[in-house]
């Protein structure tokens, strides 16, 4: 499928019992598909192990697994930032430092592609629910930004949002644009928001992990200002900004989002 004349790969996981079942499955639409299922396709030789998580849920039998449909992102970090952010901004490592790249964000087009092109294709191809109560979006880092944007723009289609280590800082990517959008959209119909951040996370443009932890509180406040009452924001001791950390947190996020199971 094409997004802005660029071919985008879609990777889909179906539960172990899909072939001999006639059930309609919950579905999670995710970002950075290349990092979710296979270390060989991942950017940093680390994966989320989403398929292993769903297979474990199937074996245990208590919590039904979901279909996961996800889109790849560009390997070039600047292109990925453009795909997952709004507006025009300058990538710098510190305020006043040399501009490394001008980013022309087109996140709204990415959201439309995922919800208006990919989602209908998945619904035609697989036995997945169209009931918003069984539909979630999820992503990490700038993919967490993108997941929150998807939840804000497509409230009628998505009831669960999982944003792992979401990055929507005012410097450098003008994160207030996202926070203002979430607040303005309100909370009708209601949604469940899972957000988290490790207390050892660093990025090129942050000086201390506390910046990202404080930023998580800003995002939570924006959601609460919008009227959302089902918001879980967690700070995870010892976790860094990588796929191994998100892999550990994904099962608990899934169980809380769909079944209300409190993280242990």
């Amino acid at each position: 499928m094409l997004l802005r004349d660029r071919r985008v790969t879609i990777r889909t996981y179906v539960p172990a019992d899909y072939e001999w079942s006639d059930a309609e499955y919950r579905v999670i639409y995710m970002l950075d598909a290349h990092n979710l299922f296979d270390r060989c396709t991942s950017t940093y030789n680390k994966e989320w192990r989403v398929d292993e998580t769903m297979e474990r849920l199937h074996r245990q039998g208590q919590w039904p697994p979901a279909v996961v449909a996800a889109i790849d992102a560009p390997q070039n970090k600047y292109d990925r930032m453009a795909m997952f952010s709004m507006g025009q901004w300058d990538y710098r490592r510190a305020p006043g430092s040399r501009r490394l790249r001008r980013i022309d964000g087109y996140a709204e087009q990415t959201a439309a592609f995922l919800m208006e092109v990919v989602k209908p294709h998945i619904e035609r191809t697989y036995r997945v629910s169209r009931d918003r109560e069984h539909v979630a979006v999820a992503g990490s880092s700038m993919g967490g930004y993108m997941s929150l944007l998807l939840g804000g723009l497509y409230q009628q289609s998505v009831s669960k949002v999982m944003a792992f280590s979401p990055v929507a800082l005012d410097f450098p990517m003008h994160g207030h644009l996202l926070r203002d959008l979430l607040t303005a959209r309100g909370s009708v119909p209601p949604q469940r928001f899972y957000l988290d951040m490790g207390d050892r996370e660093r990025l090129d443009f942050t000086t201390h992990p506390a910046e990202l932890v404080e930023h998580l509180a800003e995002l939570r406040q924006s959601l609460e200002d919008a009227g959302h009452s089902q918001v879980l924001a967690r700070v995870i001791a010892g976790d860094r900004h990588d796929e191994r950390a998100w892999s550990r947190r994904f099962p608990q996020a899934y169980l809380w989002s769909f079944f209300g199971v409190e993280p242990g």
Side-chain angles (χ1 to χ4, degrees):
M1 292 186 175
L2 296 178
L3 170 62
R4 289 169 60 98
D5 297 323
R6 183 178 68 83
R7 186 168 296 279
V8 177
T9 298
I10 303 169
R11 303 177 196 265
T12 305
Y13 166 82
V14 297
D17 64 349
Y18 183 89
E19 293 299 331
W20 59 84
S21 168
D22 59 1
E24 186 176 83
Y25 290 85
R26 293 167 180 80
V27 58
I28 310 173
Y29 295 97
M30 296 187 69
L31 294 313
D32 295 308
H34 52 287
N35 292 332
L36 301 181
F37 309 114
D38 191 338
R39 192 174 65 181
C40 294
T41 63
S42 66
T43 304
Y44 302 107
N45 200 35
K46 304 172 186 175
E47 58 160 310
W48 283 56
R49 298 173 60 85
V50 167
D51 45 345
E52 285 89 345
T53 292
M54 292 299 170
E55 287 166 8
R56 185 173 70 252
L57 291 172
H58 172 71
R59 289 194 303 271
Q60 293 171 344
Q62 184 177 7
W63 308 111
V67 168
V68 178
I71 59 173
D72 279 10
Q75 293 291 328
N76 179 286
K77 72 176 183 179
Y78 300 118
D79 292 340
R80 179 175 176 271
M81 288 175 178
M83 184 177 178
F84 290 166
S85 66
M86 293 187 291
Q88 189 178 77
W89 51 281
D90 293 335
Y91 184 89
R92 303 176 190 271
R93 289 203 170 94
S97 65
R98 180 173 63 89
R99 184 181 77 191
L100 299 177
R101 183 70 65 93
R102 171 65 55 85
I103 306 294
D104 292 307
Y106 58 93
E108 297 98 325
Q109 293 179 49
T110 304
F113 174 74
L114 187 57
M115 290 288 104
E116 298 174 23
V117 179
V118 175
K119 183 174 181 287
H121 168 74
I122 296 298
E123 291 170 346
R124 291 191 302 267
T125 307
Y126 301 94
R127 292 191 314 277
V128 298
S129 180
R130 303 183 185 204
D131 181 349
R132 69 181 294 276
E133 289 303 312
H134 302 308
V135 177
V137 293
S140 64
S141 192
M142 291 296 292
Y145 176 127
M146 192 69 227
S147 298
L148 291 166
L149 179 62
L150 284 161
L153 292 177
Y154 290 89
Q155 288 173 295
Q156 301 298 327
S157 302
V158 173
S159 67
K160 279 86 177 169
V161 177
M162 292 176 266
F164 300 82
S165 305
V167 177
L169 295 158
D170 287 345
F171 171 80
M173 69 273 303
H174 305 321
H176 60 86
L177 296 176
L178 174 63
R179 298 196 303 275
D180 290 349
L181 182 147
L182 293 172
T183 301
R185 290 282 169 165
S187 58
V188 180
Q191 295 169 296
R192 290 173 72 84
F193 286 87
Y194 171 93
L195 302 88
D196 67 20
M197 189 72 68
D199 67 358
R200 298 182 67 187
E201 300 197 25
R202 289 179 181 270
L203 298 169
D204 286 349
F205 40 79
T206 62
T207 57
H208 193 277
E211 290 182 54
L212 291 168
V213 173
E214 292 168 1
H215 168 55
L216 187 73
E218 289 181 327
L219 287 170
R220 176 176 185 165
Q221 188 62 55
S222 295
L223 292 169
E224 291 178 348
D225 288 347
H228 292 289
S229 59
Q230 300 181 81
V231 181
L232 177 62
R234 304 173 67 209
V235 177
I236 313 299
D239 270 8
R240 300 179 185 274
H241 196 85
D242 65 19
E243 284 72 20
R244 289 197 182 109
W246 301 321
S247 172
R248 290 191 295 270
R249 280 138 57 178
F250 176 74
Q252 293 180 328
Y254 173 73
L255 292 178
W256 181 83
S257 297
F258 278 101
F259 307 108
V261 178
E262 292 294 332

